[in-house]
């Protein structure tokens, strides 16, 4: 089978991913797709003549509600109101600051992953390595792949555990100058197929292997370069350092996109809005009529107080017909109901926040569905980042103990809970009375955003002690 063979589930879900992306992109992207997401009304031919121009107006007047992008961007804002909490060896700090070797930090990369998971339910991360020049270790980096770029994969079960044995990825690459067909001013690309699998290295040891292929119109499929066997401390790597970031689990299995229900509701809202606006358009234009008047030369009937109509019949009549448009109310109710369902699905930014003072418990209960979804998403992604950072640690030559100590956790404090005067006084009384420890006091002050989330207890206590030297009072 050729290298561009896709997994049996890929073609099933690809149209869904495309739809989710179009509705996330917004009104222009959706309307550009025409009848793919908004069919022409019965009797209107959107492909030619007057029907084509009428459909263009029908589509233009439809209002598009950007609930998908607002919801996902809202989730992103809640999770990343605080940066990731990362525990790594100092040798990995350059990797954290430049995760992709293109200037993208771990925090920015994590944002991208969260958005992709919320939108289409899937993202891939490959951990790769650039060897050093012989004077020391090189540098590891991560490369991200959208769901559409992961075209094939295979898992096998060994010793009761699933093991990834094949991943095929697509990448758009620029052609070398000698292959350009144009004058050289445009950028010409080709599709590269990166194949990651477990094979036998030149010494017949089972090892992680990387190959690259391309398919040309005349030459067909051909491999570019030689097989590559990345190593760790000179030894072959026994697993593929590729992580599937999913919704409920980080596995190759495709999961239903979390945004799909919202996407479908937005599409229904778009349809209803189109019909409603077309109804308003048709009902708001008065229809003039006349009967018993003489024909007008040229067939053009002029209107206005300075125009005289000749009537050869004594019972000639003229008037204006105005449709009542009573069905407009039904459309309004349907649209209102749809948007209420969107809000229930977790679109936190669809409605304005309630005015006035709201108790903290009431606020949290009102947002419980949203936070429970976020909690699951955050926990799964934290597990994924921890796993990939351990691969980085392996490539960077860290000791087994340092690798085991690596962890990454996304923020779980989604709402600011400010500490008021009475709460602060109560915390200090409990601390001074010996009922809570310094660490507990520090954690509560961080949760209340009195102390920055980037501070650690040890460094903060050291700085505070230095600043208060000689004051004689006990400090945190």
């Amino acid at each position: 089978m050729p290298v561009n063979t896709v997994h049996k589930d890929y073609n099933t879900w690809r149209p869904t991913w495309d739809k989710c992306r179009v509705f996330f992109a917004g009104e222009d992207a959706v309307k550009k797709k025409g009848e793919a997401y908004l069919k022409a009304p019965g009797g209107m031919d959107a492909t030619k003549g007057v029907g084509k121009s009428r459909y263009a107006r029908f589509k233009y007047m439809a209002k598009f509600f950007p609930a998908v992008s607002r919801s996902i961007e809202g989730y992103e804002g809640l999770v990343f109101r605080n940066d990731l909490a990362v525990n790594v060896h100092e040798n990995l700090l350059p990797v954290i600051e430049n995760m992709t070797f293109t200037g993208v930090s771990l925090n920015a990369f994590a944002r991208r992953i969260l958005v992709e998971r919320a939108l289409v339910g899937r993202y891939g991360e490959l951990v790769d390595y650039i060897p050093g020049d012989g004077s020391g270790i090189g540098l590891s980096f991560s490369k991200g792949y959208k769901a559409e770029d992961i075209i094939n994969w295979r898992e096998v079960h060994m010793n009761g555990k699933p093991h990834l044995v094949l991943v095929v990825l697509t990448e758009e690459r620029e052609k070398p100058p000698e292959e350009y067909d144009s004058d050289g001013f445009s950028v010409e690309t080709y599709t590269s197929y990166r194949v990651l699998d477990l094979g036998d290295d030149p010494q017949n040891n089972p090892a992680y292997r990387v190959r690259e292929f391309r398919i040309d119109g005349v030459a067909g499929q051909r491999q570019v370069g030689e097989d590559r066997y990345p190593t760790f401390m000179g030894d072959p790597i026994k697993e593929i350092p590729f992580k599937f970031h999913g919704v409920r689990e980080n596995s190759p299995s495709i999961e239903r996109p979390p945004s799909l229900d919202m996407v479908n509701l937005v599409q229904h809202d778009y349809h209803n809005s189109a019909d409603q606006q077309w109804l308003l358009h048709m009902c708001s234009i008065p229809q003039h009529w006349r009967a018993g008047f003489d024909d007008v030369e040229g067939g053009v009937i002029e209107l206005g107080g300075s125009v005289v109509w000749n009537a050869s019949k004594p019972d000639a009549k003229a008037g204006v017909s105005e449709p009542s448009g009573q069905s407009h109310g039904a459309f309004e109710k349907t649209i209102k109901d749809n948007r209420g369902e969107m809000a229930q699905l977790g679109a936190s930014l669809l409605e304005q926040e309630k005015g006035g003072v709201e108790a903290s418990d009431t606020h949290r209960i009102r947002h419980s569905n949203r936070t429970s979804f976020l909690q699951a998403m955050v926990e799964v992604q934290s597990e994924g980042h921890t796993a990939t950072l351990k691969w980085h640690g392996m490539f960077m030559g860290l000791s087994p103990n340092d690798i085991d100590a690596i962890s990454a956790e996304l923020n779980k404090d989604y709402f600011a809970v400010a500490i008021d005067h009475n709460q602060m006084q109560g915390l200090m009384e409990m601390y001074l009375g010996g009922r809570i420890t310094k660490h507990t006091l520090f954690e509560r002050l961080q949760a209340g955003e009195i102390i920055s989330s980037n501070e650690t207890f040890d460094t903060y206590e050291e700085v505070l002690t230095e600043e208060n030297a000689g004051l004689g009072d006990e400090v945190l």
Side-chain angles (χ1 to χ4, degrees):
M1 299 177 71
V3 69
N4 60 351
T5 300
V6 301
H7 191 277
K8 61 182 180 62
D9 294 334
Y10 181 88
N11 285 335
T12 300
W13 285 99
R14 179 62 192 262
T16 301
W17 297 336
D18 292 342
K19 179 179 180 180
C20 290
R21 290 199 186 280
V22 170
F23 276 79
F24 179 76
E27 181 172 355
D28 290 345
V30 172
K31 290 187 174 180
K32 187 177 181 179
K33 293 292 184 179
E35 288 198 277
Y37 300 121
L38 181 65
K39 296 295 184 183
M44 182 187 294
D45 187 350
T47 62
K48 60 184 178 181
V50 176
K52 185 175 182 179
S53 61
R54 294 186 72 189
Y55 175 74
R57 186 174 183 82
F58 173 72
K59 180 178 65 173
Y60 170 77
M61 291 192 303
K63 294 181 179 179
F64 180 84
F65 199 59
V68 179
S69 59
R70 287 186 182 182
S71 300
I72 292 177
E73 289 164 0
Y75 291 138
E76 179 189 4
L78 292 176
V79 174
F80 288 95
R81 63 185 297 269
N82 293 319
D83 290 344
L84 285 82
V86 180
N87 178 38
V88 297
H89 190 276
E90 61 181 2
N91 288 354
L92 276 188
L93 293 180
V95 175
I96 300 298
E97 296 171 357
N98 188 9
M99 195 73 180
T100 62
F101 212 57
T102 59
V104 178
S105 67
L106 172 60
N107 205 64
F109 190 55
R111 280 177 174 267
R112 182 189 306 171
I113 293 174
L114 180 71
V115 168
E116 288 291 320
R117 293 171 61 231
L119 181 60
V120 298
R122 189 174 177 82
Y123 195 71
E125 179 182 358
L126 171 65
V127 178
D128 211 340
Y129 178 74
I130 299 175
D133 57 5
S135 59
I137 60 175
L139 185 67
S140 63
F141 64 96
S142 288
K143 184 172 177 59
Y145 293 87
K146 294 181 178 181
E148 297 89 334
D149 299 329
I150 311 170
I151 65 170
N152 204 357
W153 58 92
R154 187 168 68 250
E155 261 190 336
V156 298
H157 280 73
M158 295 183 292
N159 299 322
K161 294 182 179 180
H163 290 266
L164 190 63
V165 296
L166 172 70
V167 182
V168 181
L169 310 165
T170 62
E171 303 174 6
E172 287 299 311
R173 298 196 176 180
E174 184 177 352
K175 290 182 178 180
E178 61 272 15
E179 295 185 15
Y180 271 37
D181 296 327
S182 65
D183 54 13
F185 291 104
S186 61
V187 176
E188 297 184 15
T189 63
Y190 69 93
T191 300
S192 172
Y193 298 87
R194 185 191 292 253
V195 179
L196 318 175
D197 63 4
L198 294 179
D200 291 333
D201 67 8
Q203 287 73 42
N204 293 322
N205 297 313
Y208 163 50
R209 177 177 59 175
V210 182
R211 292 175 292 167
E212 182 185 341
F213 294 85
R214 62 182 292 186
I215 299 177
D216 297 323
V218 178
Q221 177 177 309
R222 62 185 176 90
Q223 184 170 346
V224 179
E226 302 294 328
D227 292 2
R228 185 164 64 91
Y229 294 89
T231 60
F232 168 57
M233 305 294 287
D235 296 325
I237 299 174
K238 301 299 179 65
E239 63 179 338
I240 300 175
F242 185 88
K243 176 62 64 177
F244 287 90
H245 292 278
V247 179
R248 298 173 183 82
E249 59 181 9
N250 294 319
S251 76
S253 300
I254 296 179
E255 300 178 77
R256 191 175 187 271
S259 69
L260 186 56
D261 288 336
M262 182 70 71
V263 167
N264 289 335
L265 275 175
V266 171
Q267 185 175 11
H268 288 307
D269 184 82
Y270 178 46
H271 290 173
N272 290 331
S273 173
D275 290 337
Q276 180 195 42
Q277 295 300 313
W278 189 249
L279 173 66
L280 288 173
H281 171 67
M282 299 301 292
C283 291
S284 63
I285 300 177
Q287 178 65 50
H288 294 81
W289 60 271
R290 50 179 265 167
F293 289 91
D294 299 338
D295 293 336
V296 178
E297 185 178 352
V300 178
I301 300 175
E302 297 185 4
L303 303 175
S306 61
V307 179
V308 176
W309 291 350
N310 295 320
S312 58
K313 299 179 181 179
D315 59 348
K317 295 180 180 180
V320 178
S321 176
E322 294 185 277
S324 64
Q326 294 178 356
S327 57
H328 172 63
F331 279 114
E332 279 191 334
K333 183 180 184 304
T334 300
I335 291 174
K336 182 178 179 180
D337 291 344
N338 276 353
R339 295 187 181 180
E341 289 185 53
M342 294 179 201
Q344 293 176 10
L345 280 174
S348 60
L349 302 184
L350 291 184
E351 298 175 333
Q352 296 292 328
E353 292 292 338
K354 294 181 178 179
V357 178
E358 183 177 42
S360 175
D361 288 345
T362 304
H363 181 80
R364 289 181 178 274
I365 291 172
R366 187 161 60 87
H367 293 286
S368 59
N369 288 337
R370 171 165 39 132
T371 56
S372 62
F373 166 72
L374 281 180
Q375 194 78 0
M377 292 281 286
V378 161
E379 290 176 357
V380 170
Q381 187 166 331
S382 296
E383 292 174 2
H385 285 308
T386 298
T388 56
L389 284 174
K390 288 184 176 183
W391 282 331
H392 281 284
M394 175 192 69
F395 279 121
M396 296 298 287
L398 299 186
S399 68
N401 289 337
D402 288 333
I403 293 175
D404 289 340
I406 291 174
S407 66
E409 185 173 347
L410 271 68
N411 165 56
K412 296 180 182 178
D413 181 17
Y414 310 125
F415 306 102
V417 183
I419 296 178
D420 60 27
H421 171 76
N422 292 331
Q423 291 172 321
M424 177 69 79
Q425 184 176 351
L427 283 172
M428 292 307 299
E429 287 177 355
M430 286 191 290
Y431 169 62
L432 295 175
R435 296 196 296 274
I436 61 174
T437 65
K438 284 185 179 181
H439 280 86
T440 301
L441 176 61
F442 177 83
E443 290 170 356
R444 297 310 305 158
L445 292 177
Q446 270 195 325
E449 300 188 350
I450 303 298
I451 298 175
S452 170
S453 61
N454 295 324
E455 297 282 0
T456 65
F457 176 81
D458 292 335
T459 57
Y460 191 79
E461 184 178 40
E462 181 180 344
V463 172
L464 198 60
T465 301
E466 292 177 358
E467 292 183 353
N468 288 275
L471 294 181
D473 295 328
E474 183 180 10
V475 295
L476 179 67

